[in-house]
Amino acid sequence: MLNKIYRLVAPRQFESFIIEEDIHEDTVIVRPTFLSICHADQRYYTGSRDKVVLRKKLPMALIHEGIGEVVKDYSGTFLPGERVIIVPSTPIETNDIIAENYLPTSLFRSSGYDGLMQEYVFARKDRLVRVLDNVPSNVAAYTELISVSYHAIKRLQRVMNKDQEIFGIWGDGNLGYITANLLKGLFPKAKLYIFGKNEDKLNFFSFADKVFTIDEIPQELMISQAFECVGGTGSYFAIQQIIDHIKPQGAISIMGVSENPIEINTRLVLEKGLTISGTSRSSADDFKETIKFLSNHSIERKRFENLVGIETKINSISDLHDFFEAEFSNTWGKAVMEWNL
């Protein structure tokens, strides 16, 4: 079957391609409806990735966060018209120890493998998760990022001690907000402290117990467990502050991506007996648990609706450029597009 794909061929340059798609007994054809941009998409679009990486991965369709409607299911699992999340990770092998999102052989949409900017997406049935009725499409569109945070919290639960008095989150952006909102729903009795640089952004965390600018943290303040949601060069300062302010034998989840190596105060890590958990991406099971959370937690679901900062209908390639440029200059919230190409 022929399919139209909109690929980035060079920074800020999209072209449409017609390709032949293979259909198998477990193939589900999905029409994309609502898609969301992440920072990785912007790095490709603006050409801020290394030139060697761009030459290797382009041309490529962007976007790995999104949902669609089922058009045809050859497996008999889904009904036509059902809303489904398209899981971007596509494992090609199984492992009893290593999860699908950590297998180096797994494919990932919009990272060397065509993303969701297509007329139709041809997916395996195990790469789709139903969107429950009370979850709005503009929130479901960025379930991928929420599921990454959900995955990080669940992994930290396995290694952290029983002290759940105070959770600290370093980072006042989208990832910090998402992680804070999930923690509020999963640990309602715990205190939630947010540490950030921008006071305007910190104002969005009105549901947290306390917020601090990173240059005004009381020296005596101590937290139980911590999440680093900063990334980039700021990771160094965030992780250093976490190590300084976390209680002995606490656990730290590192979630921010840094292109370059950063230093860690290993002496204090050893003295305090700290546990550090690194997480990346998420699995299909994480998506299923996340969509259940969104369905069952109305207050947190509403906060996720409030996180949508830009919402635009895309009817042409020109609209696509406008959308990416608007998102690039946006300082807060997720950008969601209604896909009509």
Side-chain angles (χ1 to χ4, degrees):
M1 179 177 172
L2 295 179
N3 187 28
K4 182 179 285 188
I5 296 182
Y6 298 87
R7 288 171 171 159
L8 186 75
V9 296
R12 290 184 164 88
Q13 184 178 343
F14 292 111
E15 290 184 11
S16 62
F17 293 78
I18 303 295
I19 67 168
E20 180 73 31
E21 299 278 10
D22 294 328
I23 295 176
H24 305 283
E25 61 182 11
D26 67 343
T27 296
V28 184
I29 303 176
V30 178
R31 170 65 178 162
T33 52
F34 288 85
L35 310 178
S36 182
I37 288 183
C38 87
H39 291 311
D41 296 312
Q42 277 290 9
R43 286 195 291 270
Y44 284 117
Y45 177 75
T46 58
S48 57
R49 290 294 305 272
D50 185 272
K51 291 183 179 179
V52 175
V53 174
L54 291 174
R55 283 197 299 268
K56 181 180 178 181
K57 296 200 174 187
L58 300 185
M60 176 180 67
L62 300 181
I63 306 295
H64 61 265
E65 302 177 11
I67 66 169
E69 291 184 356
V70 174
V71 175
K72 174 73 174 178
D73 179 8
Y74 290 87
S75 74
T77 305
F78 301 94
L79 296 174
E82 278 195 276
R83 291 187 304 159
V84 290
I85 303 164
I86 305 163
V87 179
S89 177
T90 305
I92 57 177
E93 64 173 321
T94 58
N95 190 293
D96 293 336
I97 298 174
I98 303 173
E100 66 178 51
N101 47 310
Y102 295 105
L103 286 170
T105 54
S106 291
L107 303 174
F108 195 84
R109 292 189 183 276
S110 76
S111 180
Y113 177 48
D114 278 326
L116 305 182
M117 286 172 44
Q118 308 184 36
E119 185 178 10
Y120 299 102
V121 172
F122 291 68
R124 294 193 328 229
K125 64 179 181 180
D126 66 319
R127 298 297 94 192
L128 301 173
V129 175
R130 285 184 176 88
V131 179
L132 300 179
D133 290 342
N134 60 346
V135 178
S137 292
N138 60 356
V139 173
Y142 71 94
T143 307
E144 193 273 339
L145 183 55
I146 303 173
S147 74
V148 169
S149 180
Y150 189 94
H151 169 72
I153 293 170
K154 290 300 182 181
R155 283 201 72 198
L156 198 71
Q157 275 188 278
R158 299 187 195 129
V159 298
M160 72 184 187
N161 56 33
K162 295 180 180 180
D163 184 355
Q164 299 175 4
E165 180 187 2
I166 302 172
F167 285 97
I169 296 177
W170 268 255
D172 52 23
N174 294 341
L175 183 59
Y177 183 93
I178 288 169
T179 304
N181 197 25
L182 288 174
L183 285 171
K184 203 65 177 176
L186 293 170
F187 300 91
K189 295 182 180 180
K191 293 179 181 178
L192 188 61
Y193 292 179
I194 313 299
F195 304 83
K197 292 177 64 176
N198 190 307
E199 291 188 13
D200 291 335
K201 289 183 178 180
L202 286 172
N203 289 332
F204 287 103
F205 293 81
S206 58
F207 56 92
D209 294 277
K210 291 184 179 180
V211 297
F212 300 89
T213 55
I214 56 174
D215 55 353
E216 295 181 347
I217 303 174
Q219 188 174 358
E220 69 280 3
L221 184 146
M222 299 298 287
I223 58 171
S224 308
Q225 320 293 340
F227 291 84
E228 179 273 318
C229 302
V230 178
T233 56
S235 289
Y236 166 77
F237 301 100
I239 293 172
Q240 184 55 53
Q241 285 190 339
I242 290 171
I243 293 171
D244 288 339
H245 290 281
I246 195 168
K247 296 177 185 178
Q249 293 194 291
I252 305 167
S253 176
I254 297 179
M255 301 172 65
V257 177
S258 300
E259 296 292 334
N260 299 308
I262 62 171
E263 295 182 5
I264 292 179
N265 185 348
T266 55
R267 176 177 292 278
L268 201 50
V269 170
L270 301 179
E271 286 182 6
K272 288 190 172 185
L274 304 179
T275 300
I276 298 176
S277 172
T279 58
S280 179
R281 297 176 176 171
S282 55
S283 68
D285 286 340
D286 294 315
F287 277 81
K288 293 173 184 176
E289 292 299 316
T290 299
I291 207 69
K292 288 179 184 177
F293 177 94
L294 293 173
S295 179
N296 295 332
H297 292 76
S298 59
I299 295 175
E300 285 75 19
R301 185 174 67 244
K302 185 62 179 178
R303 292 195 192 111
F304 283 129
E305 290 182 57
N306 294 337
L307 188 61
V308 177
I310 298 175
E311 196 165 0
T312 306
K313 291 184 179 181
I314 303 299
N315 298 308
S316 66
I317 289 181
S318 176
D319 291 341
L320 264 180
H321 288 293
D322 292 342
F323 181 74
F324 271 83
E325 295 295 343
E327 198 280 338
F328 183 70
S329 60
N330 186 43
T331 58
W332 173 258
K334 291 291 292 178
V336 175
M337 59 175 126
E338 186 175 344
W339 183 254
N340 293 319
L341 280 177

